[in-house]
């Protein structure tokens, strides 16, 4: 049956205005919540009020000046400092020897390669590292010919990177969507070389081919594989065009260098005389389709000077960043915020060529008609934060991304789990693609694609990919559908490369159940009533892995018996976490979860223990760094919150559902202290913008507390004012302003909230309500208040 609940709207004096039950359909939810945010008398005055002098001053400078691409390049944040445009196919960046690319603690650059992903945990990309050198070419291993450098002679900004190498060469990088542009300034010499290394990358190499086509052009085909574990191979095609003829060239195979050779399997060098003209520019175009695609991308986007491409990249980033304007705040907080916003827009990446062609997961060439095809899907990570942020700030691109995922399923037979380029890697577990797509549906991004999306989601939810498919999908679905849980089968051989749900049966069960809940809502909206009831019933399967003897979730074996350690601080049966951390991953039914562990008081006591709340109040930053976080990959065997990893990202917002919303602010603001504007300023891997999006959303006080649905949790912003410029196709007003005058470490507690001038006493908004608003105005103070502590204030369960 559709969820019904009561909504009470309060007048500005606090009295009830209207109450009524409503059916929780799209139209019903929008209707009901419009009643809650009615009263726009004060809205126009707030919208036309002048901003403060400081805010106006901050609006005057380029926001790109606040972005530091070096944040996260040390201590396993695994970000990259190189040049890219928003969602670009090319990410031209230096590689220093770290397995994922660049490490700030290292001091030699092996090459500037074309492909990088922000914050991945295993080697991926790094294709075609290019390095300028002088003298004879005697080494072909980039670890040996790597160039020393100093951070004192290195800089980066959105769309641009520069470094002075110890060899006396200055290297500069910029990018367009499908090209990377290099400018090298050499000493005066007749042996100025550019080395194009096709045979080495951050992943496993399968085969490579290098061709010198003429005295300005080099072409390569690079086939590689691997990400954390083995994968199917994929091929990257490149073509590099220099701005002037080579004086000479050669290629190499293995360690053998052959001057004058035009073909090779390892790499090529091209040589220039820079005794008079010291500058060399080159543009490299990339394609995942074929050599003709790379050439077409070069024709479409090449031919411009380095400075012209750099200026265009900076403008693209400025347009993207200016959709969020924050006022007040320290220089450090603003740099940290805008750098996180920047990283949130780095992926997914354009996968189609300028002519619309792309290589599908069926290994065939297709053409994107009426949309841009995207690739690179870290879905286990991004479904919790980044996909919602993009739906809010970049809905046109987010729509095309969702359509791309649908096309993957239609072309290859199955939806992705963790897709890189043209292949499935099967990294991570559960069913992350379902909340990713249902989020797109709930945000209104799938107009015209609703039933196509539903068909592939239903197939994914009710089946298992056959042995011939590279995908694992819901690998444990047979047992899950029969018994209500995925068994933990310790030591079971993996049927396919990648991770296995059977290795993490308890957490896989919880993630399947979450996805079933989100699919039930979509099915109900689309009129598939029987499916909706079936998926809603399955969404309660989180109960099957609850061990009442311990009061925590626990893995079960094939016979149904609880297995593994009874201690909930042990990780066996859970993926990158423990039962302490996964117990809050029931956003579809937190009231039910709270009931299992003994009620609201017991839940709050457990939350307080989980967050070390007493210590947190005494010293938030110390608690975050010494109690919560103990190392970049320390995900296991803990009974405390871990803000650097995905299973815990929603956990601080649980207090919104237990009558203590002020504690969400305490925890979130403490966790934000872990993110700084230093190279070590990323907590854990960025995971294609996941952690960065968490920072952005938590900083502005809007967080997707039911991923896959359209529920936004509310907490205290860290800035006095946030102006969001929104796409009018999805947000009729085109702007949402959030204010919290005087918000600070001392004054961080919500005393009251007004939505378009009317009192608002709930801890959440739906997307429909959010789109109807012009203003959210917080009053903050030094102590917790009674705001939104009533039983009707919490997000409703999805049943």
């Amino acid at each position: 049956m559709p969820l019904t609940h009561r909504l009470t709207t309060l007048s500005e004096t606090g009295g009830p205005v209207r109450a009524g039950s409503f059916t929780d359909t799209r139209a019903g939810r929008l209707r009901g919540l419009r009643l809650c945010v009615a009263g726009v008398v004060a809205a126009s005055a707030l919208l036309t009020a002048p901003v403060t002098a400081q805010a106006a001053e901050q609006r005057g400078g380029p926001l790109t000046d606040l972005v530091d691409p070096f944040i996260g390049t040390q201590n396993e944040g695994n970000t990259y400092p190189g040049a890219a445009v928003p969602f670009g196919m090319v990410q031209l960046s230096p590689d220093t020897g770290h397995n994922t690319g660049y490490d700030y603690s290292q001091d030699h650059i092996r090459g500037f390669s074309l492909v990088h992903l922000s914050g991945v945990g295993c080697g991926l990309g790094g294709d075609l590292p290019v390095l300028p050198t002088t003298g004879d070419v005697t080494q072909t291993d980039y670890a040996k010919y790597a160039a020393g450098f100093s951070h004192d002679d290195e800089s980066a900004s959105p769309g641009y990177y520069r470094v002075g190498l110890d060899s006396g060469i200055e290297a500069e990088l910029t990018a367009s969507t499908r090209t990377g542009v290099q400018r090298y300034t050499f000493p005066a010499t007749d042996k100025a070389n550019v080395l194009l290394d096709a045979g080495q990358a951050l992943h496993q190499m399968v085969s490579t081919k290098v061709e010198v086509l003429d005295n300005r052009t080099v072409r390569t085909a690079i086939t590689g594989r691997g990400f954390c574990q083995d994968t199917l191979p994929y091929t990257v095609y490149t073509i590099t065009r220099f701005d002037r003829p080579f004086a000479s060239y050669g290629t190499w195979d293995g360690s053998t260098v052959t001057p004058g050779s035009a073909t090779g399997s390892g790499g090529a060098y091209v040589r220039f005389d820079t005794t008079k003209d010291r500058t060399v520019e080159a543009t490299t175009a990339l394609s995942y389709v074929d050599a003709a695609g790379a050439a077409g991308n070069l024709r479409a986007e090449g031919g411009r000077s380095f400075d012209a491409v750099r200026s265009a990249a900076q403008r693209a980033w400025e347009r993207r960043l200016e959709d969020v304007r924050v006022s007040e705040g320290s220089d450090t907080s603003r740099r940290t915020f805008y750098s996180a916003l920047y990283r949130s827009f780095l992926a997914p990446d354009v996968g189609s060529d300028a002519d619309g062609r792309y290589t599908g997961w069926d290994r065939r060439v297709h053409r994107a008609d009426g949309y841009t095809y995207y690739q690179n899907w870290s879905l286990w990570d991004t479904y919790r934060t980044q996909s919602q942020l993009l739906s809010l700030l970049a809905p046109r691109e987010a729509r095309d991304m969702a359509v791309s995922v649908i096309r993957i399923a239609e072309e290859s037979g199955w939806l992705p789990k963790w897709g890189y380029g043209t292949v499935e890697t099967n990294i991570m577990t559960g069913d992350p693609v379902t909340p990713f797509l249902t989020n797109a549906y709930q945000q209104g991004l799938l107009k015209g694609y609703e039933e196509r999306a539903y068909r592939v989601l239903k197939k994914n939810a009710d089946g298992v990919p056959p042995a011939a498919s590279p995908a694992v999908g819901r690998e444990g679905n047979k047992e899950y559908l029969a018994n209500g849980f995925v068994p933990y089968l310790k030591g079971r051989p993996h049927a396919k490369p990648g991770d296995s749900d059977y290795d993490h049966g308890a957490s896989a069960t919880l993630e399947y159940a979450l996805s079933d809940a989100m699919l039930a809502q979509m099915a109900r909206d689309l009129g598939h009533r029987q499916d909706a009831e079936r998926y809603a019933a399955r969404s309660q399967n989180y109960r099957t892995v609850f061990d009442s003897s311990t009061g925590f979730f626990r893995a079960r074996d094939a016979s149904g018996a609880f297995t593994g350690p009874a201690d909930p601080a042990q990780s066996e049966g859970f993926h990158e976490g423990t039962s302490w951390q996964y117990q809050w991953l029931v956003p579809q039914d937190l009231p039910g979860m709270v009931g299992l562990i003994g009620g609201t008081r017991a839940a709050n006591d457990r939350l307080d223990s989980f967050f070390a709340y007493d210590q947190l109040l005494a010293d938030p930053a110390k608690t975050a760094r010494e109690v919560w976080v103990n190392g970049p990959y320390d995900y296991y065997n803990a009974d405390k919150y871990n803000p650097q990893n995905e299973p815990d990202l929603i956990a601080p917002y649980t207090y919104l559902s237990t009558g203590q919303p002020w504690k969400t602010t305490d925890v979130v603001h403490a966790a934000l202290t872990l993110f700084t504007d230093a190279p070590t300023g990323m907590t854990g891997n960025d995971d294609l913008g996941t952690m960065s999006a968490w920072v952005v959303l938590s900083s502005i006080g809007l967080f997707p507390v039911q991923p896959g649905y359209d529920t936004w949790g509310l907490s205290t912003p860290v800035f006095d004012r946030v102006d969001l410029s929104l796409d009018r196709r999805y947000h009729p007003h085109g702007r949402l302003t959030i204010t919290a005058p005087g918000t600070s470490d001392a004054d961080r507690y919500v005393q009251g909230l007004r939505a378009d001038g009317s009192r608002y006493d709930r801890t959440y908004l739906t997307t429909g309500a959010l789109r109807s608003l012009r203003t959210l105005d917080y009053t903050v103070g030094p102590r917790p208040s009674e705001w939104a502590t009533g039983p009707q204030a919490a997000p409703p369960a999805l049943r």
Side-chain angles (χ1 to χ4, degrees), residues 577-625:
T578 67
S579 185
W580 266 101
Q581 292 156 349
Y582 273 94
Q583 68 185 313
W584 315 114
L585 194 64
V586 192
Q588 72 272 23
D589 188 19
L590 277 175
M593 176 59 208
V594 167
L596 284 180
I597 61 178
T600 301
R601 177 173 293 182
N604 281 325
D605 288 345
R606 190 175 288 187
L607 283 165
D608 289 350
S609 174
F610 180 60
F611 292 114
Y613 187 71
D614 290 341
Q615 292 173 264
L616 167 67
L617 286 182
D619 194 333
K622 182 177 181 181
T623 302
R625 294 196 175 277

Side-chain angles (χ1 to χ4, degrees), residues 18-36:
R18 179 175 179 179
S21 64
F22 69 97
T23 301
D24 195 17
T25 61
R26 273 179 118 36
R29 283 183 284 115
L30 180 57
R31 245 192 338 268
L33 278 159
R34 276 178 176 165
L35 294 175
C36 282

Side-chain angles (χ1 to χ4, degrees), residues 5 50 168 316 396 456 642 650 654 668 780:
H5 59 274
R396 299 186 190 197
V456 297
N642 185 346
I650 309 171
T654 307
V668 167
V780 296

Side-chain angles (χ1 to χ4, degrees), residues 15-74:
V17 174
R18 179 175 179 179
S21 64
F22 69 97
T23 301
D24 195 17
T25 61
R26 273 179 118 36
R29 283 183 284 115
L30 180 57
R31 245 192 338 268
L33 278 159
R34 276 178 176 165
L35 294 175
C36 282
V37 298
V40 297
V41 176
S44 60
L46 286 166
L47 283 172
T48 57
V51 298
T52 64
Q54 182 176 354
E57 180 182 354
Q58 289 173 343
R59 288 173 182 269
L63 295 176
T64 51
D65 288 351
L66 295 171
V67 174
D68 185 352
F70 290 104
I71 294 174
T73 58
Q74 191 172 354

Side-chain angles (χ1 to χ4, degrees), residues 210-263:
V210 182
E211 300 172 275
V212 180
L213 299 182
D214 56 40
N215 65 357
R216 291 191 182 196
T217 313
V218 178
R219 183 169 67 190
T220 72
I222 301 168
T223 300
R225 68 194 313 161
F227 172 51
C228 295
Q229 301 179 48
D230 200 7
T231 66
L232 289 173
Y234 58 91
T235 301
V236 173
Y237 301 89
T238 80
I239 187 166
T240 302
R241 179 77 172 170
F242 289 83
D243 68 337
R244 57 173 162 137
F246 321 139
S248 60
Y249 60 85
T251 63
W252 67 81
D253 297 286
S255 60
T256 302
V257 180
T258 306
S261 170
T263 60

